[in-house]
Amino acid sequence: MGIENKPNKEEAQDQTPVKTNLPVSVNLRQQTNLKQKQSTDSIISSCKKIGNTLVLCDLLHKGLIICNLDGNDIHHIPLSYTPQYITEIDSNTVAVSCDDRTIQIINISTRSITSTINTSGNCYGISYNDNNLYVVIGMSIIHVMDLTGKVIRTIPVPSDYIYDITVDRYRLVCVDDTSIYCCSLEGKVMWKFKKDELQDLRHMTTDNEGNIYVTDHIKETVVVVSDDGKHHRELLTKSDRLHQPYGIYFDKKENSLLVCNDGDIFLFDVKHQ
């Protein structure tokens, strides 16, 4: 399936074409129905693609699902807490933010929990950068901590209800329900992106160009926003078989976009100009 993206109305009205680094097309490489593979429902809240391995947070069964791209060779790692968001530490290790004020460090090769970090509030978005974890605590502040859980510093958040974050190119990108914020690593807002059609943003990811991809759970879309926040495009919709998507992850090594529905996993190849 090929999806050729058309310029949005704002861009079409410009007299002079504006060059952006937004993707020009996405093509479906792989679709996997996870329910058929494991004969049970799952609610995938967050996801990562590490090489050819998928690591999925399953809200419904309170654990991680590890499988290959076609949904075979499935393994489950049960957790004591409900997983919310996930970040890659290295090719064998992930950190998972959970409810009940907990972060769990997990070895996906041995499928074992190597350590548990207790936090001062419920955990949401989590991102690993330069040997530190950046974690949204209670949706109201970001703690920067080492892998033992020692808090090094705190960063103010630009909104009352921040869900997901990522550290990318010496900047911090955050989302709440309806807006995307690009901040310095000290928390100073550099720009904010908000459109009326965005209703329920919970998860986001960035590509090599600094573009930001977000899933809108209610609108059932994926929207991409340019690295300066000035341009955007609706990249995927319900016509692409999205159904209440949450998890999203951009594989920067191979320019592919992983999107997870409640029951389906989609892998798209992304092309830029």
Side-chain angles (χ1 to χ4, degrees):
M1 177 186 71
I3 306 165
E4 293 298 326
N5 294 290
K6 298 179 180 180
N8 60 43
K9 291 181 180 179
E10 292 174 356
E11 292 175 346
Q13 290 171 355
D14 289 343
Q15 295 296 319
T16 303
V18 177
K19 184 179 179 180
T20 71
N21 290 321
L22 289 177
V24 295
S25 68
V26 290
N27 293 283
L28 181 64
R29 185 202 307 179
Q30 181 100 29
Q31 179 181 357
T32 301
N33 186 298
L34 202 58
K35 183 178 180 180
Q36 291 179 352
K37 296 291 184 178
Q38 59 179 8
S39 301
T40 184
D41 288 326
S42 295
I43 298 177
I44 306 304
S45 62
S46 188
C47 59
K48 282 288 178 287
K49 178 178 176 292
I50 304 175
N52 291 318
T53 299
L54 304 184
V55 186
L56 315 171
C57 292
D58 186 355
L59 281 176
L60 195 60
H61 297 104
K62 203 156 69 171
L64 295 187
I65 298 170
I66 299 176
C67 61
N68 56 22
L69 289 175
D70 59 10
N72 294 321
D73 194 26
I74 295 177
H75 301 277
H76 295 86
I77 302 176
L79 302 177
S80 301
Y81 311 96
T82 303
Q84 305 281 355
Y85 294 84
I86 187 171
T87 189
E88 176 186 353
I89 293 175
D90 58 41
S91 60
N92 292 312
T93 313
V94 296
V96 180
S97 64
C98 304
D99 65 353
D100 206 20
R101 305 183 176 198
T102 303
I103 298 168
Q104 298 203 296
I105 311 297
I106 298 165
N107 186 307
I108 60 174
S109 295
T110 61
R111 297 189 286 279
S112 60
I113 299 168
T114 59
S115 64
T116 297
I117 297 171
N118 296 316
T119 61
S120 60
N122 285 336
C123 307
Y124 294 88
I126 186 169
S127 183
Y128 181 73
N129 183 71
D130 197 22
N131 298 317
N132 290 322
L133 291 171
Y134 291 69
V135 189
V136 179
I137 302 296
M139 293 190 288
S140 60
I141 199 166
I142 295 168
H143 282 180
V144 183
M145 63 181 70
D146 64 20
L147 291 177
T148 70
K150 178 183 177 182
V151 177
I152 299 166
R153 62 190 179 95
T154 61
I155 304 173
V157 295
S159 169
D160 292 335
Y161 300 101
I162 290 296
Y163 293 103
D164 201 6
I165 57 169
T166 190
V167 179
D168 172 63
R169 303 195 310 176
Y170 303 101
R171 61 181 187 165
L172 181 68
V173 184
C174 318
V175 296
D176 61 17
D177 279 320
T178 60
S179 303
I180 301 170
Y181 303 86
C182 182
C183 307
S184 70
L185 292 185
E186 288 70 44
K188 181 180 179 181
V189 177
M190 296 185 284
W191 55 259
K192 174 183 176 181
F193 178 87
K194 181 178 175 64
K195 292 292 180 182
D196 290 341
E197 62 264 28
L198 301 180
Q199 297 182 7
D200 190 35
L201 309 182
R202 296 298 173 93
H203 293 77
M204 47 82 67
T205 186
T206 56
D207 66 14
N208 292 300
E209 308 292 335
N211 298 314
I212 300 154
Y213 302 72
V214 292
T215 52
D216 190 321
H217 187 68
I218 292 177
K219 293 279 289 184
E220 300 184 319
T221 61
V222 170
V223 174
V224 58
V225 179
S226 62
D227 65 340
D228 58 4
K230 295 180 179 179
H231 307 280
H232 76 288
R233 185 169 296 157
E234 194 173 69
L235 198 65
L236 300 166
T237 68
K238 285 195 291 186
S239 65
D240 303 301
R241 288 169 281 182
L242 294 191
H243 176 66
Q244 297 180 343
Y246 271 133
I248 188 167
Y249 174 70
F250 194 96
D251 185 335
K252 296 179 180 179
K253 292 181 180 178
E254 61 173 40
N255 280 320
S256 62
L257 184 68
L258 180 69
V259 182
C260 294
N261 279 349
D262 287 348
D264 289 297
I265 301 168
F266 300 92
L267 184 66
F268 298 93
D269 290 313
V270 180
K271 293 183 180 180
H272 296 80
Q273 290 181 346

